[in-house]
Amino acid sequence: MDGQPLASLSLTHVHYNPNDPISYICAWLALVPQGLCIVYATLIWASREVEILLMFAGQLGCEALNFILKRWIREERPKQMYGKGYGMPSSHSQFVVFFSLSLALFLLFRHAPHPSTTHTPTTLLERLLLSILAFIAAAAVAASRVYLNYHTPKQVFVGAVAGAVSAGFWFIFTTYLRRAGWIDWGLDTYWARMLRMRDLVVSEDLAHAGWERWETRRRRRRPADRSAKDL
């Protein structure tokens, strides 16, 4: 290995000014898409929710669109940046705008949780505030790309528009799949049942899934525990 030039893993490699605190924060913001992919994979594996799987599929489709657009437009990055690849449109801004808008559309128009004896679901106002927070985070990630000189403002703006259009199209498409019965059909297939895929998060909070069953089981167990202690 002596004398062999080393390569950098560009997926997580970020150029920033170590003497600038804002630049340091922007460098961490550049890793948000990678972090969200980990969140997607974790939630899909842990919850087996088809809605999260659909959102991740749309996210991957949005990334594929960005890959095609960059090689079709072929616009270079700002001259101050030594990064590889084309800059139009910004994949970071396209990614986070797709995520934040998809989350907002789900929370405000598709998610309809029902109250129960053990749980009060989030209100519409709370879901609206969460959506606004997601948009603020997406704006911070997009702005960081300009601050770090990875993209021009125009490249970030076009990426944001592409992400928003992709999210809107995907929401309409998945709504059609639901209304036409394709989601129910898919959940009845052998592989979906073997993987224990389900569709509960539309009608109940993700944190509440299984909670009521757990509370009922725990309440039933308490008298038996007390009886055992009395003996």
Coordinates of all heavy atoms in Angstrom, one line a residue, residues 170-227:
W170 N -46.3 11.1 -6.2 CA -46.3 9.8 -5.5 C -47.4 9.7 -4.6 O -48.0 8.6 -4.4 CB -44.9 9.6 -4.8 CG -44.7 8.3 -4.3 CD1 -44.7 7.9 -3.0 CD2 -44.5 7.1 -5.1 NE1 -44.5 6.5 -2.9 CE2 -44.4 6.0 -4.1 CE3 -44.5 6.8 -6.4 CZ2 -44.2 4.7 -4.6 CZ3 -44.2 5.5 -6.8 CH2 -44.1 4.5 -5.9
F171 N -47.8 10.8 -3.9 CA -49.0 10.8 -3.0 C -50.2 10.5 -3.8 O -51.1 9.7 -3.3 CB -49.1 12.1 -2.3 CG -50.2 12.1 -1.3 CD1 -50.0 11.6 0.0 CD2 -51.4 12.7 -1.6 CE1 -51.0 11.6 0.9 CE2 -52.4 12.8 -0.6 CZ -52.2 12.2 0.6
I172 N -50.4 11.1 -4.9 CA -51.6 10.9 -5.8 C -51.6 9.4 -6.3 O -52.7 8.7 -6.3 CB -51.6 11.8 -7.0 CG1 -51.8 13.3 -6.5 CG2 -52.7 11.5 -8.0 CD1 -51.7 14.3 -7.6
F173 N -50.4 8.9 -6.7 CA -50.4 7.6 -7.2 C -50.7 6.5 -6.1 O -51.4 5.6 -6.3 CB -49.0 7.3 -7.7 CG -48.7 5.9 -8.2 CD1 -49.4 5.4 -9.3 CD2 -47.8 5.1 -7.6 CE1 -49.2 4.1 -9.8 CE2 -47.6 3.8 -8.0 CZ -48.3 3.3 -9.1
T174 N -50.1 6.7 -4.9 CA -50.4 5.8 -3.8 C -51.8 5.9 -3.3 O -52.4 4.9 -2.8 CB -49.4 6.0 -2.6 OG1 -49.4 7.4 -2.2 CG2 -48.0 5.6 -3.0
T175 N -52.4 7.1 -3.4 CA -53.8 7.2 -3.1 C -54.7 6.4 -4.0 O -55.6 5.7 -3.6 CB -54.3 8.7 -3.2 OG1 -53.5 9.5 -2.2 CG2 -55.8 8.9 -2.9
Y176 N -54.3 6.4 -5.3 CA -55.0 5.6 -6.3 C -54.9 4.1 -6.0 O -55.8 3.3 -6.1 CB -54.5 5.9 -7.7 CG -54.8 4.8 -8.7 CD1 -56.1 4.6 -9.2 CD2 -53.8 3.8 -9.1 CE1 -56.4 3.6 -10.1 CE2 -54.1 2.8 -10.0 CZ -55.4 2.7 -10.5 OH -55.7 1.7 -11.3
L177 N -53.6 3.7 -5.6 CA -53.4 2.3 -5.3 C -54.3 1.9 -4.1 O -54.8 0.7 -4.1 CB -51.9 2.1 -4.9 CG -50.9 2.2 -6.1 CD1 -49.5 2.0 -5.5 CD2 -51.2 1.3 -7.2
R178 N -54.5 2.8 -3.1 CA -55.3 2.4 -2.0 C -56.8 2.3 -2.4 O -57.5 1.4 -2.0 CB -55.1 3.5 -0.9 CG -53.8 3.4 -0.2 CD -53.7 4.3 1.0 NE -52.6 4.1 1.8 CZ -52.5 3.1 2.7 NH1 -53.5 2.3 3.0 NH2 -51.4 3.0 3.4
R179 N -57.3 3.3 -3.1 CA -58.7 3.3 -3.5 C -59.0 2.2 -4.5 O -60.2 1.7 -4.4 CB -59.0 4.7 -4.1 CG -59.0 5.8 -3.0 CD -59.3 7.2 -3.6 NE -59.3 8.2 -2.6 CZ -59.5 9.5 -2.9 NH1 -59.8 9.9 -4.1 NH2 -59.5 10.4 -1.9
A180 N -58.1 1.8 -5.3 CA -58.4 0.8 -6.3 C -58.2 -0.6 -5.7 O -58.5 -1.6 -6.3 CB -57.4 0.9 -7.5
G181 N -57.7 -0.7 -4.4 CA -57.6 -2.0 -3.7 C -56.3 -2.7 -4.0 O -56.1 -3.8 -3.5
W182 N -55.3 -2.0 -4.6 CA -54.1 -2.7 -4.9 C -53.3 -2.9 -3.6 O -52.5 -3.9 -3.5 CB -53.3 -1.9 -5.9 CG -53.8 -2.0 -7.3 CD1 -54.5 -1.0 -8.0 CD2 -53.7 -3.1 -8.2 NE1 -54.9 -1.5 -9.2 CE2 -54.4 -2.8 -9.4 CE3 -53.2 -4.4 -8.1 CZ2 -54.5 -3.7 -10.4 CZ3 -53.3 -5.3 -9.1 CH2 -53.9 -4.9 -10.3
I183 N -53.3 -2.0 -2.7 CA -52.6 -2.2 -1.4 C -53.1 -3.4 -0.7 O -52.4 -4.2 -0.2 CB -52.7 -0.9 -0.5 CG1 -52.1 0.3 -1.3 CG2 -52.0 -1.1 0.8 CD1 -50.6 0.1 -1.7
D184 N -54.5 -3.5 -0.6 CA -55.1 -4.7 0.1 C -54.7 -6.0 -0.6 O -54.4 -7.0 0.0 CB -56.6 -4.5 0.2 CG -57.0 -3.4 1.1 OD1 -56.3 -3.1 2.0 OD2 -58.1 -2.8 0.9
W185 N -54.7 -5.9 -1.9 CA -54.3 -7.1 -2.7 C -52.9 -7.5 -2.4 O -52.6 -8.7 -2.2 CB -54.5 -6.8 -4.2 CG -54.0 -8.0 -5.1 CD1 -54.6 -9.1 -5.4 CD2 -52.6 -8.0 -5.6 NE1 -53.8 -9.9 -6.2 CE2 -52.6 -9.3 -6.3 CE3 -51.5 -7.2 -5.6 CZ2 -51.4 -9.7 -7.0 CZ3 -50.4 -7.6 -6.3 CH2 -50.3 -8.8 -7.0
G186 N -52.0 -6.5 -2.4 CA -50.6 -6.8 -2.1 C -50.3 -7.3 -0.7 O -49.5 -8.2 -0.5
L187 N -51.1 -6.8 0.3 CA -51.0 -7.3 1.6 C -51.5 -8.8 1.8 O -51.1 -9.4 2.8 CB -51.7 -6.4 2.6 CG -51.0 -5.0 2.8 CD1 -52.0 -4.1 3.6 CD2 -49.7 -5.1 3.4
D188 N -52.3 -9.2 0.8 CA -52.8 -10.6 0.9 C -51.9 -11.6 0.2 O -52.2 -12.8 0.2 CB -54.2 -10.7 0.3 CG -55.3 -10.1 1.2 OD1 -55.0 -10.1 2.4 OD2 -56.3 -9.6 0.7
T189 N -50.8 -11.1 -0.5 CA -49.9 -12.0 -1.2 C -49.1 -12.8 -0.2 O -48.9 -12.5 1.0 CB -49.0 -11.2 -2.1 OG1 -48.2 -10.3 -1.4 CG2 -49.8 -10.5 -3.2
Y190 N -48.5 -13.9 -0.7 CA -47.7 -14.8 0.1 C -46.6 -14.1 0.8 O -46.3 -14.2 2.0 CB -47.2 -16.0 -0.7 CG -46.2 -16.8 0.0 CD1 -46.6 -17.8 0.9 CD2 -44.8 -16.7 -0.3 CE1 -45.6 -18.6 1.6 CE2 -43.9 -17.4 0.4 CZ -44.3 -18.4 1.3 OH -43.3 -19.1 1.9
W191 N -45.8 -13.3 0.0 CA -44.6 -12.7 0.5 C -44.9 -11.6 1.6 O -44.2 -11.5 2.6 CB -43.8 -12.1 -0.6 CG -43.1 -13.2 -1.4 CD1 -43.4 -13.6 -2.7 CD2 -42.0 -14.0 -1.0 NE1 -42.6 -14.6 -3.1 CE2 -41.7 -14.8 -2.1 CE3 -41.2 -14.0 0.1 CZ2 -40.6 -15.8 -2.1 CZ3 -40.2 -15.0 0.2 CH2 -39.9 -15.8 -0.9
A192 N -46.0 -10.9 1.3 CA -46.4 -9.8 2.3 C -46.8 -10.5 3.6 O -46.4 -10.0 4.7 CB -47.5 -9.0 1.7
R193 N -47.5 -11.6 3.6 CA -47.9 -12.2 4.8 C -46.8 -12.9 5.5 O -46.7 -12.9 6.7 CB -49.1 -13.2 4.5 CG -50.3 -12.6 4.0 CD -51.4 -13.6 3.7 NE -51.8 -14.3 5.0 CZ -52.6 -13.8 5.9 NH1 -53.2 -12.6 5.7 NH2 -52.9 -14.5 7.0
M194 N -45.8 -13.5 4.7 CA -44.7 -14.1 5.3 C -43.8 -13.0 6.0 O -43.2 -13.3 7.1 CB -43.8 -14.8 4.2 CG -42.7 -15.6 4.8 SD -41.7 -16.4 3.6 CE -40.8 -14.9 3.0
L195 N -43.7 -11.8 5.5 CA -42.9 -10.8 6.1 C -43.7 -10.0 7.1 O -43.2 -9.0 7.7 CB -42.5 -9.8 5.0 CG -41.4 -10.4 4.0 CD1 -41.2 -9.4 2.9 CD2 -40.1 -10.7 4.7
R196 N -45.0 -10.4 7.4 CA -45.8 -9.8 8.4 C -46.1 -8.3 8.1 O -46.1 -7.5 9.0 CB -45.2 -9.9 9.8 CG -45.0 -11.4 10.2 CD -46.4 -12.1 10.3 NE -46.2 -13.4 11.0 CZ -46.0 -14.6 10.3 NH1 -46.0 -14.5 9.0 NH2 -45.9 -15.7 10.9
M197 N -46.2 -7.9 6.8 CA -46.5 -6.6 6.5 C -47.9 -6.2 6.9 O -48.8 -7.0 6.9 CB -46.4 -6.4 4.9 CG -45.0 -6.6 4.4 SD -43.7 -5.6 5.1 CE -44.3 -3.9 4.6
R198 N -48.1 -4.9 7.3 CA -49.4 -4.5 7.8 C -49.7 -3.0 7.4 O -48.8 -2.4 6.8 CB -49.5 -4.6 9.3 CG -48.4 -3.7 10.0 CD -48.4 -4.0 11.5 NE -47.5 -3.1 12.2 CZ -47.3 -3.1 13.5 NH1 -48.0 -3.9 14.3 NH2 -46.5 -2.2 14.1
D199 N -50.9 -2.6 7.7 CA -51.3 -1.2 7.3 C -52.1 -0.6 8.4 O -53.2 -0.2 8.2 CB -52.1 -1.3 6.0 CG -52.3 0.1 5.3 OD1 -51.5 1.0 5.6 OD2 -53.3 0.3 4.6
L200 N -51.4 -0.4 9.5 CA -52.1 0.2 10.7 C -51.8 1.7 10.9 O -52.6 2.4 11.5 CB -51.6 -0.6 12.0 CG -52.1 -2.0 12.1 CD1 -51.5 -2.6 13.4 CD2 -53.6 -2.0 12.2
V201 N -50.7 2.2 10.4 CA -50.2 3.5 10.8 C -51.2 4.6 10.2 O -51.2 5.7 10.6 CB -48.8 3.8 10.3 CG1 -48.7 4.0 8.8 CG2 -48.2 5.0 11.0
V202 N -52.0 4.2 9.2 CA -52.9 5.2 8.6 C -54.0 5.5 9.7 O -54.5 6.6 9.8 CB -53.6 4.6 7.3 CG1 -54.7 5.5 6.9 CG2 -52.5 4.5 6.3
S203 N -54.4 4.5 10.4 CA -55.5 4.7 11.4 C -55.1 4.8 12.8 O -56.0 5.0 13.7 CB -56.5 3.5 11.2 OG -55.9 2.3 11.4
E204 N -53.8 4.5 13.1 CA -53.4 4.7 14.5 C -51.9 5.2 14.5 O -51.2 5.0 13.5 CB -53.5 3.4 15.3 CG -52.6 2.3 14.8 CD -52.8 1.0 15.6 OE1 -53.9 0.5 15.8 OE2 -51.8 0.5 16.2
D205 N -51.5 5.8 15.6 CA -50.2 6.3 15.7 C -49.2 5.1 15.7 O -49.5 4.0 16.3 CB -50.0 7.1 17.0 CG -50.7 8.4 16.9 OD1 -51.1 8.9 15.8 OD2 -51.0 9.0 18.0
L206 N -48.0 5.3 15.1 CA -47.0 4.3 15.0 C -46.6 3.8 16.4 O -46.4 2.6 16.7 CB -45.8 4.8 14.3 CG -44.7 3.7 13.9 CD1 -45.3 2.6 13.1 CD2 -43.5 4.4 13.2
A207 N -46.5 4.8 17.4 CA -46.1 4.4 18.7 C -47.2 3.6 19.5 O -46.9 2.9 20.4 CB -45.7 5.7 19.5
H208 N -48.4 3.8 19.0 CA -49.5 3.1 19.7 C -49.8 1.7 19.2 O -50.5 0.9 19.8 CB -50.8 3.9 19.4 CG -52.0 3.4 20.1 ND1 -52.0 3.2 21.5 CD2 -53.2 3.0 19.6 CE1 -53.2 2.7 21.8 NE2 -54.0 2.6 20.7
A209 N -49.1 1.3 18.1 CA -49.4 0.0 17.5 C -49.0 -1.1 18.5 O -47.8 -1.2 18.9 CB -48.5 -0.2 16.2
G210 N -49.9 -1.9 18.9 CA -49.6 -2.9 19.9 C -49.7 -2.5 21.3 O -49.7 -3.3 22.2
W211 N -49.7 -1.1 21.6 CA -49.7 -0.6 23.0 C -51.0 -1.1 23.7 O -50.9 -1.5 24.9 CB -49.6 0.9 23.0 CG -49.7 1.5 24.3 CD1 -50.8 2.1 24.8 CD2 -48.8 1.5 25.4 NE1 -50.6 2.6 26.1 CE2 -49.3 2.2 26.5 CE3 -47.5 1.0 25.5 CZ2 -48.7 2.3 27.7 CZ3 -46.8 1.1 26.7 CH2 -47.4 1.8 27.8
E212 N -52.1 -1.0 23.1 CA -53.4 -1.3 23.8 C -53.4 -2.8 24.2 O -53.9 -3.2 25.2 CB -54.6 -0.9 22.9 CG -55.9 -0.9 23.7 CD -57.0 -0.2 22.9 OE1 -56.7 0.2 21.8 OE2 -58.1 -0.1 23.5
R213 N -52.9 -3.6 23.3 CA -52.9 -5.1 23.6 C -51.9 -5.3 24.7 O -52.2 -6.2 25.6 CB -52.4 -5.8 22.3 CG -53.4 -5.9 21.2 CD -53.1 -6.9 20.1 NE -51.8 -6.5 19.5 CZ -51.7 -5.7 18.5 NH1 -52.8 -5.1 18.0 NH2 -50.5 -5.5 17.9
W214 N -50.8 -4.6 24.8 CA -49.9 -4.7 25.9 C -50.5 -4.3 27.2 O -50.3 -4.9 28.2 CB -48.6 -3.9 25.6 CG -47.7 -3.6 26.8 CD1 -47.5 -2.4 27.4 CD2 -46.9 -4.6 27.5 NE1 -46.7 -2.6 28.5 CE2 -46.3 -3.9 28.6 CE3 -46.7 -5.9 27.4 CZ2 -45.5 -4.5 29.5 CZ3 -45.9 -6.6 28.3 CH2 -45.3 -5.8 29.3
E215 N -51.2 -3.1 27.2 CA -51.8 -2.6 28.4 C -52.9 -3.6 28.9 O -53.0 -3.9 30.1 CB -52.5 -1.3 28.1 CG -51.5 -0.1 28.1 CD -50.9 0.1 29.5 OE1 -51.6 0.7 30.3 OE2 -49.8 -0.2 29.8
T216 N -53.7 -4.2 28.0 CA -54.7 -5.2 28.4 C -54.1 -6.4 29.0 O -54.5 -6.9 30.0 CB -55.5 -5.6 27.2 OG1 -56.1 -4.4 26.6 CG2 -56.6 -6.6 27.5
R217 N -53.0 -6.9 28.4 CA -52.3 -8.0 28.9 C -51.7 -7.8 30.3 O -51.7 -8.6 31.2 CB -51.2 -8.5 27.9 CG -50.5 -9.8 28.3 CD -49.4 -10.1 27.3 NE -49.9 -10.1 26.0 CZ -49.1 -10.2 24.9 NH1 -47.8 -10.2 25.1 NH2 -49.6 -10.2 23.7
R218 N -51.2 -6.6 30.5 CA -50.5 -6.2 31.7 C -51.6 -6.1 32.9 O -51.4 -6.5 34.0 CB -49.8 -4.9 31.6 CG -48.9 -4.6 32.8 CD -47.9 -3.5 32.5 NE -48.6 -2.2 32.3 CZ -47.9 -1.1 32.4 NH1 -46.6 -1.0 32.7 NH2 -48.6 0.0 32.2
R219 N -52.8 -5.5 32.5 CA -53.8 -5.4 33.5 C -54.3 -6.8 33.9 O -54.7 -7.0 35.1 CB -55.0 -4.5 33.0 CG -54.7 -3.0 33.0 CD -55.9 -2.2 32.8 NE -56.6 -2.5 31.5 CZ -56.4 -1.8 30.4 NH1 -55.5 -0.8 30.4 NH2 -57.0 -2.2 29.2
R220 N -54.4 -7.7 33.0 CA -54.9 -9.0 33.3 C -53.8 -9.8 34.2 O -54.2 -10.6 35.1 CB -55.1 -9.9 32.1 CG -56.3 -9.4 31.3 CD -56.3 -10.2 29.9 NE -57.5 -9.8 29.2 CZ -57.7 -10.2 27.9 NH1 -56.8 -11.0 27.3 NH2 -58.8 -9.8 27.2
R221 N -52.6 -9.4 34.1 CA -51.5 -10.1 34.8 C -51.4 -9.6 36.2 O -51.0 -10.4 37.1 CB -50.2 -9.9 34.1 CG -49.1 -10.9 34.6 CD -47.9 -10.9 33.6 NE -47.4 -9.5 33.5 CZ -47.0 -8.9 32.4 NH1 -47.2 -9.6 31.3 NH2 -46.5 -7.7 32.4
R222 N -51.8 -8.4 36.5 CA -51.6 -7.8 37.8 C -52.4 -8.5 38.9 O -51.8 -8.8 40.0 CB -52.0 -6.3 37.8 CG -51.0 -5.4 37.2 CD -51.5 -4.0 37.0 NE -50.5 -3.1 36.4 CZ -50.8 -1.9 36.0 NH1 -52.0 -1.4 36.2 NH2 -49.8 -1.2 35.5
P223 N -53.7 -8.9 38.7 CA -54.4 -9.7 39.8 C -53.7 -11.0 40.1 O -53.7 -11.4 41.2 CB -55.8 -9.8 39.2 CG -56.0 -8.7 38.2 CD -54.6 -8.5 37.6
A224 N -53.2 -11.7 39.0 CA -52.6 -12.9 39.2 C -51.3 -12.8 40.0 O -51.0 -13.6 40.9 CB -52.3 -13.6 37.8
D225 N -50.6 -11.7 39.8 CA -49.3 -11.4 40.5 C -49.6 -11.2 42.0 O -48.9 -11.6 42.9 CB -48.6 -10.2 39.9 CG -48.0 -10.6 38.5 OD1 -47.9 -11.8 38.2 OD2 -47.7 -9.6 37.8
R226 N -50.7 -10.4 42.2 CA -51.1 -10.1 43.6 C -51.5 -11.4 44.3 O -51.2 -11.6 45.5 CB -52.2 -9.0 43.6 CG -51.7 -7.6 43.4 CD -52.7 -6.6 43.8 NE -53.9 -6.7 42.9 CZ -54.0 -5.9 41.9 NH1 -53.0 -5.0 41.5 NH2 -55.1 -5.9 41.1
S227 N -52.2 -12.3 43.6 CA -52.7 -13.5 44.3 C -51.5 -14.4 44.6 O -51.5 -15.0 45.7 CB -53.6 -14.2 43.3 OG -54.8 -13.5 43.1

